[in-house]
Amino acid sequence: MRILRFVFLLFLAVTPVRALNILPNSSFEYWIDTLGVHMPLGWITSEPLYPGSAVKSTESHTGSYCVKLTGGDTAAFVSTITIVRPDYHYHFSGWAKVPSLIGGSFILQFTKLLGEPIGTPEMLPAFHSSDYREYDRWVTAPESAVFLSVSFAAIPTATVYLDDVTLEDTAIIGIEEYQTTKTSEPHPDPRKVIAPVGITRTLEPLNSGSILYDPLGRRVCPDRLRPGVYFILRKR
């Protein structure tokens, strides 16, 4: 009989930790086809309005794909949104390659529950570069903030390649994501969970049938663990 169960593991280690990225599909590896419009999963783009303005490209910084923005007569854009916690600190990072003189700008805007903007947006202009360049900034969520929208707008006539756009929650410990194959299980199936097993302070040896996930349901490599909370889908 095959039994699947989750084990919560809390590692107390002294090695450096890494904050958790809370933006979806930050490396633009996953794309969907909605009514004939190809867009990166978890993002909205100018592609439905201006075909060819935001497309998948293989000129990536990491991984296989990135998003290519081409501003024709109008601006091209890509945008997503995430939940934030008031008074918490976040580290934004985005990589851009700009063949043209000026490409456009990253735009970070905190909003209230119903989308009302809070204050003025943070702007990070992206300038000409023959290779990818990182643009980063620390931001603090205002007291009434619920969401943070993360966007990049390319100016007319500009061409910009974007990749690895992340927002790290420094209060949550993260880990390196395991690169799954076509035959591996990308996410645990909650319908197969029998019962959770308690919290432990030490990592028990993983048997060959165990699969490890982070709190967002991403499969991770057991050899690259960092301090944090993990889920084990154990088979026996």
Side-chain angles (χ1 to χ4, degrees):
M1 178 178 177
R2 183 183 181 188
I3 299 178
L4 304 177
R5 62 179 179 172
F6 278 111
V7 179
F8 292 83
L9 298 178
L10 180 61
F11 299 106
L12 301 181
V14 295
T15 54
V17 299
R18 179 180 176 183
L20 182 68
N21 170 46
I22 58 174
L23 291 185
N25 193 22
S26 59
S27 60
F28 302 106
E29 294 299 303
Y30 306 104
W31 291 68
I32 57 176
D33 190 350
T34 304
L35 300 178
V37 178
H38 211 45
M39 291 194 297
L41 181 66
W43 297 73
I44 59 173
T45 72
S46 54
E47 186 66 14
L49 300 174
Y50 310 106
S53 63
V55 299
K56 179 167 66 174
S57 171
T58 56
E59 292 193 40
S60 58
H61 175 247
T62 63
S64 300
Y65 304 109
C66 67
V67 61
K68 177 184 177 182
L69 299 180
T70 304
D73 296 331
T74 58
F77 68 86
V78 59
S79 181
T80 190
I81 192 169
T82 188
I83 297 174
V84 294
R85 295 176 290 177
D87 300 323
Y88 276 74
H89 306 291
Y90 299 88
H91 179 248
F92 169 80
S93 172
W95 291 79
K97 181 170 71 171
V98 185
S100 50
L101 182 61
I102 299 178
S105 179
F106 288 102
I107 306 168
L108 311 179
Q109 176 68 68
F110 289 103
T111 70
K112 297 181 180 180
L113 180 61
L114 299 181
E116 180 183 352
I118 302 174
T120 57
E122 295 278 352
M123 309 286 288
L124 287 82
F127 301 99
H128 170 76
S129 59
S130 58
D131 201 354
Y132 275 93
R133 175 183 174 185
E134 183 183 21
Y135 299 84
D136 72 313
R137 181 164 298 179
W138 284 91
V139 293
T140 301
E143 184 177 351
S144 57
V146 178
F147 301 108
L148 174 65
S149 67
V150 176
S151 310
F152 188 97
I155 64 175
T157 72
T159 298
V160 181
Y161 298 88
L162 297 176
D163 204 2
D164 299 324
V165 180
T166 61
L167 183 72
E168 294 183 336
D169 187 333
T170 58
I172 301 178
I173 296 174
I175 51 182
E176 296 183 32
E177 185 171 357
Y178 178 77
Q179 298 299 320
T180 60
T181 63
K182 293 182 179 179
T183 58
S184 61
E185 297 182 51
H187 299 285
D189 186 349
R191 295 171 299 179
K192 297 179 181 179
V193 176
I194 293 180
V197 179
I199 300 177
T200 178
R201 292 174 178 268
T202 58
L203 174 63
E204 300 174 6
L206 298 178
N207 59 49
S208 58
S210 297
I211 304 175
L212 195 64
Y213 297 91
D214 74 354
L216 295 183
R218 301 177 300 185
R219 186 178 175 185
V220 296
C221 178
D223 297 332
R224 300 177 181 177
L225 294 178
R226 295 175 181 269
V229 177
Y230 307 95
F231 301 87
I232 290 182
L233 191 62
R234 179 169 295 169
K235 309 173 185 178
R236 71 178 185 183

